[in-house]
Amino acid sequence: VPLVGKVGELTAGLSGTAVAAVGVGAAAIGVGVLAVNAADDMKGAMNDFLASTGKSREETERYQGVLENIYANNYGESFSDIGQAMAEVTKQLGDMDDAELQNVTESAYALRDTFGYEIPESTRAAKAMVDNFGVTGEEAMNLIASGAQNGLDYSGELLDSISEYSVQFDKMG
């Protein structure tokens, strides 16, 4: 079977979003190579995610779906980048349903891209707010964004202040 006929076989293990990452209009041989590369990238990203979070192999399909949704919404630089961001959100904020994991991860990207906040720092600050103020991860990310939009980061230390002083604010009520 010529390679052109094998493109479908090469992309069979990927969902539509991952296949879309292959790109339209490439030469048939290029599509095959890109499909294999995309599959390898996805596999690597999922392996890294599972290893860093301790999630089981049985959950791969679930988390791959979340990763692909984030990618389809144009967040992250690669499957690996998104997998790392999802792992950071999961490590900081714990288990959450797929929709919240996607929303919090996308919010972390939005904070990074808009305000320059690195994902580990913004998720750490969100965790402090979740623990001390009883808000959800999504609400915490929205509060961080709102604070940054309204000038609360004039010293460049908004995330550090949230992480460090939220315990004290909680004690004061």
Side-chain angles (χ1 to χ4, degrees), residues 18-160:
V19 172
V22 170
V24 178
I29 197 155
V31 171
V33 170
L34 290 174
V36 170
N37 289 342
D40 287 346
D41 290 348
M42 178 61 77
K43 183 177 180 182
M46 290 313 304
N47 285 340
D48 291 346
F49 173 80
L50 295 175
S52 66
T53 61
K55 301 293 182 190
S56 70
R57 288 247 170 247
E58 291 75 34
E59 297 177 284
T60 300
E61 189 174 314
R62 169 189 171 203
Y63 289 111
Q64 182 174 329
V66 174
L67 189 150
E68 290 175 352
N69 288 341
I70 294 168
Y71 183 85
N73 288 339
N74 205 26
Y75 289 96
E77 297 170 9
S78 65
F79 293 145
S80 178
D81 180 49
I82 296 169
Q84 290 170 2
M86 286 173 47
E88 190 62 40
V89 168
T90 301
K91 287 188 282 187
Q92 291 294 328
L93 297 171
D95 289 325
M96 54 187 79
D97 67 35
D98 294 356
E100 185 172 12
L101 176 59
Q102 179 179 338
N103 289 338
V104 171
T105 304
E106 289 177 354
S107 294
Y109 275 115
L111 289 173
R112 182 194 72 184
D113 296 345
T114 306
F115 302 107
Y117 299 155
E118 294 301 321
I119 291 174
E121 287 77 22
S122 65
T123 56
R124 204 169 307 129
K127 167 88 168 129
M129 294 173 79
V130 167
D131 290 348
N132 294 301
F133 302 144
V135 298
T136 68
E138 291 177 69
E139 292 169 328
M141 291 300 213
N142 289 336
L143 288 169
I144 292 168
S146 179
Q149 290 165 343
N150 288 293
L152 293 182
D153 196 22
Y154 64 90
S155 67
E157 297 190 15
L158 175 63
L159 297 181
D160 290 336

